[in-house]
Amino acid sequence: MRISYRHIKRYREIAQVMIKYGFSFIIERINKDNGSKVDIDSTEPVDDIKKMTSGERLRYALQELGPTYVKMGQILSTRRDLLDKDMIEELEKLRDDVSFFETETAMKIIEDEIKMPVDEIFESISSEPIAAASIGQVYEATLKTGESVIVKVQRPGIENTIKSDLEILKRVSDSAQDVVADYNINLKDVIEELSTQLLRELDYNYEAINAVKMKKMFQYSEHVYIPEIYMEYTTKRVLVMEKINGVKVSDIETIKEKGWDPVKIADIGVKSFIMQVLTHGFFHADPHPGNIFVIDKEKIAYIDFGMIGIIDKKTLKHLNQFAIACINKDVDRIAYVLYEMDSIDENTDMESFRQEIMYMIHYYYDVPIEKISFGSIIGEVFSFFRKYRVKMPSQLVTLAKTIITLEGTGRMINPGFSVKGISREFAKNYYKESLNPKNIAKEKKQEAEEMFHDFKSMPKQIKGVLRVLEKNNLKITIEDVKMRRIEDCLKEMTTQMSMSLVLAALIVGSSLIIASPNLESSRTIKIMSFFGFFTSFIVGILLVIDIIRTRISKK
């Protein structure tokens, strides 16, 4: 697929940056496959760049390419199922290191979006932004009604830039597929997933709805607070949210000065996360220290709801079965659960697969859980999955990444924090939810409805099978079971059986002739008996040779 003419300038910029950081082979492959005539200077990377690792070169290239690629790198840094640990660690260093855009421009965007003058919406608004990111920048303000708020305003032109970059990526994905073949990555699917997430982040309504849903989940909680979203002033490019007055969870000194217990705060964070996952199947997927504030000795608040994870009950059930199988060191059960999840490739070497699983289980099983880093385990598991082409549902990948982030945040608050607390709470709450009579009744009702639906659709399915039979469309199935080989086996078996019957008949017949009282009086009878035994001997030799030949040919 050729690069669109309107994207030539941007493609040239991307190509130059990629060549600068030593990725010229990618550009050469894309140009060859697309028949590109774009004039691009091919220069060798400078010595300083040559000394960098592949991960470092990729990080610097993405930073230089701008907002779309920075965001892509940040999203890819969560995909431990796709990339190696070294690459992930470099991508995690990506930051939205961007300049501010003019406040005058931001005010114009607010007025265009809300259809009201700024001074009619806000009593006051900061003259300078307090933070800037690749997609937008943030201001402090006070509404006319007196509430303190945070105002996020999207960068001018950022939507067109991102959509242009995504279109280029989609057009070159087929050509670049071979470059990532060793990573078992379907580049087209990855770009499609990145595209979906980036386009959602371009719409602040999506983040607002996430926050509203999260607030409803914690509306009666004494330990978790979700800021108010002012939907009347929120649009695709502007988000107005209640300002949280608290202490960042990373500010440990201030937390201790206020007499708040970091251990209790970490415990609240874990329990709130478990509730999100198990009770609602909807969770904050980016619980890093900058997105959590402590507002009281026993109360935290979440902000920034652009990245949300969703997980269904069926996937949670598979996850629990997988965990139990690991605890029981049941390798066959682990393989079965992965089959149920459609995660194992049909060409997987199952013998090696089982052996490596057994090794990992035995390696970690007897290690004290306080000594284990969940991040390290996940990293090794995902490395194993890449090796054996195990495809994990994106829900579980997001959940694993969130737990890793949560563990890091928990250890920042409390150095003694370990994954033990998360796993213990997770197991306790999972079984509590599973054994809840209300949930059991709901599950059984759903199962009954599914069975009823299957029963209703069965006549239609049978009719479809009969139609296929009527049209004699079973030829492929017969060929798939190697009918010709079956025919050969039947021929061999029939031949040997026939020879055995002839042999038996000759022996029995010759024996009866010999036992005849007329044997001595008739020379003809003597000759017939001798001929019968001789023939049976020849037939027996031929039968043995045929059996031996058949067995040798099968080896």
Side-chain angles (χ1 to χ4, degrees):
M1 190 180 292
R2 293 181 179 275
I3 304 297
S4 173
Y5 179 76
R6 69 180 185 276
H7 297 314
I8 288 292
K9 182 180 178 183
R10 178 57 176 161
Y11 174 69
R12 185 181 287 113
E13 293 172 357
I14 294 169
Q16 292 291 177
V17 172
M18 297 298 283
I19 291 169
K20 174 183 174 181
Y21 287 98
F23 298 108
S24 58
F25 62 95
I26 300 176
I27 304 303
E28 288 169 3
R29 179 58 187 267
I30 292 170
N31 286 347
K32 180 181 177 181
D33 288 355
N34 288 277
S36 175
K37 301 297 183 182
V38 181
D39 182 26
I40 298 170
D41 295 333
S42 182
T43 56
E44 282 288 316
V46 298
D47 289 340
D48 287 346
I49 293 177
K50 285 182 179 179
K51 293 175 183 177
M52 295 178 182
T53 64
S54 297
E56 287 175 325
R57 288 187 286 114
L58 179 61
R59 172 165 64 90
Y60 284 114
L62 295 178
Q63 283 178 335
E64 196 165 321
L65 286 171
T68 307
Y69 293 88
V70 168
K71 273 294 175 188
M72 281 180 53
Q74 290 172 341
I75 295 169
L76 280 172
S77 71
T78 69
R79 297 304 304 269
R80 293 171 183 263
D81 58 323
L82 299 180
L83 302 177
D84 293 329
K85 180 182 177 182
D86 294 342
M87 193 75 75
I88 292 290
E89 288 177 351
E90 285 299 325
L91 292 179
E92 285 177 338
K93 297 176 184 177
L94 283 169
R95 295 290 179 266
D96 293 315
D97 187 14
V98 294
S99 59
F100 297 111
F101 62 91
E102 294 291 332
T103 295
E104 185 179 342
T105 303
M107 297 303 110
K108 180 70 166 58
I109 292 172
I110 292 172
E111 291 181 346
D112 290 343
E113 288 291 308
I114 303 178
K115 311 298 182 187
M116 291 174 63
V118 172
D119 57 7
E120 289 185 16
I121 305 169
F122 306 109
E123 184 67 33
S124 62
I125 187 168
S126 57
S127 58
E128 297 293 333
I130 59 173
S134 54
I135 290 181
Q137 62 189 31
V138 181
Y139 294 85
E140 289 182 326
T142 303
L143 292 174
K144 283 288 188 181
T145 49
E147 296 91 343
S148 295
V149 295
I150 293 295
V151 184
K152 292 175 70 172
V153 185
Q154 194 175 108
R155 286 182 173 277
I158 189 65
E159 183 174 357
N160 290 335
T161 301
I162 288 178
K163 286 182 176 179
S164 175
D165 286 343
L166 288 173
E167 188 171 336
I168 290 172
L169 285 170
K170 288 177 181 178
R171 285 180 176 272
V172 303
S173 60
D174 288 337
S175 301
Q177 179 61 50
D178 289 343
V179 178
V180 296
D182 292 341
Y183 286 95
N184 187 31
I185 296 174
N186 186 321
L187 199 56
K188 189 172 286 187
D189 289 348
V190 171
I191 291 173
E192 193 62 43
E193 187 178 333
L194 294 174
S195 174
T196 300
Q197 190 161 337
L198 274 170
L199 293 177
R200 281 176 179 170
E201 289 198 37
L202 284 172
D203 187 349
Y204 286 151
N205 285 312
Y206 176 78
E207 181 177 347
I209 290 168
N210 290 338
V212 170
K213 183 171 182 176
M214 193 75 73
K215 187 169 184 66
K216 186 176 181 181
M217 285 163 48
F218 287 103
Q219 61 182 328
Y220 302 115
S221 173
E222 297 178 356
H223 304 295
V224 178
Y225 185 78
I226 306 298
E228 185 78 32
I229 300 294
Y230 296 90
M231 294 298 293
E232 64 270 32
Y233 302 126
T234 295
T235 68
K236 183 177 180 179
R237 300 174 66 198
V238 176
L239 174 67
V240 179
M241 178 177 70
E242 177 187 357
K243 181 184 177 182
I244 296 296
N245 293 308
V247 181
K248 278 191 177 182
V249 79
S250 56
D251 191 353
I252 307 300
E253 290 185 8
T254 304
I255 290 173
K256 290 180 177 179
E257 285 175 4
K258 289 181 174 288
W260 299 341
D261 184 1
V263 175
K264 187 170 287 186
I265 291 167
D267 188 54
I268 290 170
V270 170
K271 287 182 177 178
S272 69
F273 171 72
I274 299 300
M275 174 190 169
Q276 293 170 55
V277 174
L278 293 181
T279 306
H280 303 282
F282 182 88
F283 57 94
H284 193 298
D286 194 21
H288 69 74
N291 285 339
I292 303 175
F293 284 80
V294 184
I295 55 179
D296 201 350
K297 63 179 180 180
E298 292 186 6
K299 197 164 194 175
I300 63 172
Y302 289 98
I303 64 168
D304 195 346
F305 305 92
M307 194 176 292
I308 289 294
I310 298 174
I311 190 164
D312 58 67
K313 297 293 183 183
K314 183 178 179 180
T315 304
L316 271 177
K317 186 176 180 180
H318 282 143
L319 180 62
N320 184 61
Q321 291 173 342
F322 186 85
I324 291 172
C326 289
I327 291 169
N328 294 331
K329 301 181 184 179
D330 189 343
V331 176
D332 290 329
R333 183 65 181 174
I334 291 171
Y336 173 77
V337 174
L338 291 174
Y339 270 122
E340 285 283 293
M341 295 165 66
D342 294 324
S343 296
I344 298 182
D345 189 273
E346 59 182 7
N347 299 317
T348 299
D349 180 354
M350 291 306 298
E351 187 59 34
S352 299
F353 180 82
R354 286 187 173 92
Q355 286 179 1
E356 288 209 36
I357 287 182
M358 183 59 73
Y359 170 80
M360 282 197 293
I361 290 173
H362 280 282
Y363 179 79
Y364 285 109
Y365 195 81
D366 295 321
V367 177
I369 200 162
E370 291 82 2
K371 301 284 186 181
I372 294 176
S373 166
F374 189 79
S376 298
I377 297 175
I378 288 293
E380 186 168 343
V381 169
F382 279 142
S383 177
F384 168 79
F385 283 170
R386 287 195 301 274
K387 178 179 178 180
Y388 288 98
R389 300 179 181 275
V390 177
K391 298 176 183 177
M392 293 302 293
S394 59
Q395 300 175 51
L396 289 184
V397 175
T398 303
L399 179 62
K401 172 262 172 186
T402 306
I403 293 175
I404 292 170
T405 306
L406 186 64
E407 183 190 27
T409 302
R411 285 185 172 172
M412 181 177 289
I413 305 170
N414 171 25
F417 180 86
S418 77
V419 72
K420 181 178 182 179
I422 301 177
S423 57
R424 185 170 54 229
E425 283 295 325
F426 194 92
K428 184 174 74 176
N429 283 274
Y430 179 84
Y431 286 108
K432 183 180 177 182
E433 290 290 321
S434 300
L435 298 174
N436 186 323
K438 185 178 178 181
N439 291 337
I440 292 174
K442 185 178 179 181
E443 184 179 346
K444 296 305 176 185
K445 181 184 175 184
Q446 289 175 344
E447 289 178 0
E449 288 174 351
E450 288 177 5
M451 290 176 64
F452 180 69
H453 176 76
D454 291 341
F455 183 76
K456 282 177 64 180
S457 63
M458 195 177 294
K460 185 177 180 181
Q461 292 172 345
I462 293 173
K463 187 176 180 181
V465 172
L466 292 174
R467 188 178 293 114
V468 172
L469 287 170
E470 186 179 13
K471 292 180 179 179
N472 194 26
N473 286 336
L474 293 179
K475 183 178 180 181
I476 293 175
T477 305
I478 294 172
E479 289 178 353
D480 285 343
V481 295
K482 299 181 180 178
M483 191 64 184
R484 187 172 298 174
R485 180 61 183 152
I486 294 174
E487 290 174 356
D488 291 341
C489 290
L490 286 172
K491 284 179 182 178
E492 291 171 359
M493 187 172 63
T494 304
T495 301
Q496 291 172 5
M497 188 177 291
S498 300
M499 291 176 69
S500 299
L501 289 172
V502 170
L503 176 62
L506 285 169
I507 293 172
V508 171
S510 300
S511 299
L512 289 173
I513 291 172
I514 290 174
S516 172
N518 299 321
L519 180 65
E520 294 296 330
S521 60
S522 174
R523 186 180 178 185
T524 303
I525 293 175
K526 285 182 179 181
I527 293 171
M528 287 179 62
S529 63
F530 174 81
F531 183 79
F533 278 116
F534 178 80
T535 304
S536 64
F537 174 78
I538 299 299
V539 171
I541 293 295
L542 292 174
L543 180 60
V544 170
I545 291 172
D546 188 64
I547 292 171
I548 293 171
R549 180 188 58 80
T550 303
R551 290 185 177 182
I552 291 173
S553 66
K554 288 180 179 179
K555 289 183 179 180

